Amino acid sequence: MSTRAWTWVHKWSSLVCTLFMLLLCLTGLPLIFHEEIEHLSGVVEAPPMPEGTPNVSLDRIAQAALARRPGEVIRYMFWEQDEHPDITYVSMARSVDAPPEENNAVIVDSRTARVLDEPKTNEGFMYVMLKLHVDMFAGLPGMLFLGFMGLLMVVAIVSGVVLYHPFMRRLKFGALRTQRSARIKWLDWHNLLGIVTVVWLCVVGLTGTINTLNRIILGIWQMDQMAEMTAPYKGLPPVTRPAHLEASIRAAREAVPDMEVRLVAFPGTMFSSPHHYTFFLRGGTPVTSRLLKPALVDAGTGRLTDSRDMPWYVKTLFLSQPLHFGDYGGLPLKLLWALLDLFAIAVLGSGLYLWLRKPKGATAPDLASDDLADAGPVPAHALRHGGANEVTS
């Protein structure tokens, strides 16, 4: 491609996605520290008890949740042992097929089956930040739209890197022309921060795009592997008297003894079937702790019927999620992610500023001659790029 073509690609991909990327960077900043913010905001934790206190059976926990919200059913149970130890989260609704927004949460102490809280899941600062970051309160269309904006950002980054080399051919790497106009200074900072964060921005952009396909990928898994695992039960009447939950989870643990249960999907829910409990288990290594393995247990008999590793496309989704938010390396990595996020905000903001403040009626060669006057003699194609880079930033 010619320099002019790369310039056109960089200009329009940048202009289309900049405002949405600014939104994602600004909302993503508090989401990086969601655990710390939750603790500071007073989220309920399990009270201290002697170390090694055993957990009660899941059946008692289920009974406590049902007693707290009579007339509702349990759809999911899940645990975040690393973040909130000794807590069981119970997701309930009027029916197993109720819309996700009708979810009601009950927090239960895993050791005593005492209900600790019924938090509101659809309000508060972090909820607003998450919804803006995920789908802008527009559901699946908003999610897919933001995924497309992420791809445009990657295109803008790649085209910017292609254009950066000839532009800086006669300047030292990272040079800041502090004696020039304010606009030139902004241009140099824009280019410097952009090239420093290029790898991180590509990683975050691509993983974010993958995450926006979450519902589609899991839907494919349901029609593919999940349908194959539950095929022998097709056409059978739903289970009306499910087996004991504790016996069912014990069957899943015995089938995969080196993994721990992270989530239970009850019969009839989105990630199960009318005849099964689906237990999603995770490993103990840095990689396998981010992956889930389903184990299906017959809800009528409490016996394991199938357990398989997830297909590659689901694994790709699971591995992209922690990489996107930097939540797999503790606080130091979160701080690094936050710093890079601030750099990205500066790149996007400076690019928008440069575009809005471009001289009226100026052409690319005119701008190039002014911007690169301090860089010494340069080839014609570099002059064309230098001006184009400023125009499009």
Side-chain angles (χ1 to χ4, degrees):
M1 289 177 61
S2 66
T3 300
R4 186 175 297 275
W6 279 113
T7 298
W8 186 91
V9 170
H10 183 66
K11 177 176 75 173
W12 289 108
S13 60
S14 300
L15 288 176
V16 171
C17 76
T18 291
L19 288 179
F20 297 100
M21 290 302 103
L22 272 173
L23 170 69
L24 294 179
C25 287
L26 291 170
T27 56
L29 196 56
L31 292 175
I32 294 173
F33 300 101
H34 73 95
E35 298 172 27
E36 291 76 11
I37 293 174
E38 287 174 358
H39 286 296
L40 291 174
S41 62
V43 65
V44 171
E45 299 289 356
M49 295 183 70
E51 187 176 352
T53 301
N55 294 337
V56 299
S57 72
L58 289 187
D59 297 287
R60 281 189 58 189
I61 293 175
Q63 291 168 5
L66 292 170
R68 177 57 68 97
R69 302 192 67 87
E72 296 190 359
V73 298
I74 298 175
R75 299 200 289 184
Y76 304 99
M77 286 184 177
F78 62 94
W79 297 264
E80 297 178 342
Q81 194 63 22
D82 297 335
E83 300 177 16
H84 307 288
D86 303 315
I87 290 287
T88 299
Y89 295 88
V90 185
S91 173
M92 305 181 67
R94 292 179 293 102
S95 63
V96 292
D97 57 353
E101 57 269 18
E102 295 185 12
N103 169 68
N104 296 307
V106 178
I107 297 179
V108 183
D109 189 322
S110 303
R111 304 156 301 176
T112 64
R114 184 168 68 90
V115 174
L116 301 176
D117 195 14
E118 294 181 66
K120 299 295 184 181
T121 58
N122 57 352
E123 61 182 41
F125 173 74
M126 293 305 294
Y127 169 75
V128 173
M129 292 297 100
L130 180 62
K131 289 294 291 181
L132 286 173
H133 193 85
V134 171
D135 60 15
M136 300 187 299
F137 290 93
L140 182 59
M143 189 179 296
L144 295 177
F145 175 80
L146 289 178
F148 179 63
M149 292 300 103
L151 285 180
L152 280 184
M153 184 188 73
V154 173
V155 171
I157 292 169
V158 172
S159 58
V161 170
V162 172
L163 296 173
Y164 182 75
H165 176 259
F167 176 64
M168 298 301 292
R169 181 169 296 177
R170 298 293 181 175
L171 294 173
K172 293 181 179 179
F173 176 80
L176 299 174
R177 291 169 286 176
T178 58
Q179 303 303 316
R180 300 299 305 278
S181 66
R183 196 166 183 282
I184 300 300
K185 295 175 186 177
W186 274 104
L187 173 64
D188 288 346
W189 275 110
H190 175 79
N191 289 335
L192 175 61
L193 293 177
I195 206 67
V196 167
T197 59
V198 62
V199 174
W200 180 82
L201 283 170
C202 284
V203 169
V204 172
L206 289 173
T207 54
T209 299
I210 293 172
N211 289 340
T212 63
L213 301 176
N214 174 61
R215 296 185 190 179
I216 295 175
I217 290 174
L218 292 179
I220 294 173
W221 171 75
Q222 288 174 296
M223 294 184 292
D224 179 20
Q225 188 182 74
M226 188 66 174
E228 185 178 335
M229 295 170 73
T230 59
Y233 290 80
K234 188 175 182 179
L236 296 179
V239 174
T240 56
R241 300 186 63 183
H244 288 298
L245 188 55
E246 188 65 28
S248 300
I249 196 172
R250 192 160 49 243
R253 287 170 174 162
E254 289 173 356
V256 194
D258 57 338
M259 304 182 79
E260 64 176 11
V261 177
R262 178 70 183 272
L263 182 145
V264 183
F266 278 60
T269 55
M270 182 177 180
F271 300 112
S272 189
S273 81
H275 315 94
H276 294 89
Y277 290 112
T278 303
F279 296 91
F280 291 91
L281 302 97
R282 68 174 186 175
T285 68
V287 174
T288 59
S289 65
R290 305 296 173 175
L291 302 175
L292 295 177
K293 182 175 183 176
L296 270 64
V297 175
D298 189 312
T301 64
R303 295 178 180 176
L304 182 81
T305 62
D306 206 341
S307 180
R308 308 180 186 182
D309 290 329
M310 287 283 202
W312 66 269
Y313 52 88
V314 181
K315 290 182 178 180
T316 301
L317 171 66
F318 287 159
L319 291 175
S320 71
Q321 291 172 341
L323 190 60
H324 184 71
F325 286 107
D327 62 353
Y328 59 89
L331 185 58
L333 190 62
K334 289 183 179 182
L335 292 172
L336 175 61
W337 244 238
L339 179 63
L340 292 169
D341 193 353
L342 291 173
F343 284 171
I345 292 172
V347 172
L348 293 166
S350 59
L352 190 60
Y353 165 82
L354 290 167
W355 171 254
L356 294 174
R357 291 294 302 273
K358 70 180 186 297
K360 293 183 179 180
T363 64
D366 293 336
L367 290 172
S369 300
D370 178 60
D371 292 350
L372 295 184
D374 292 340
V378 292
H381 72 276
L383 282 174
R384 286 196 300 272
H385 162 64
N389 188 61
E390 180 167 349
V391 170
T392 59
S393 296

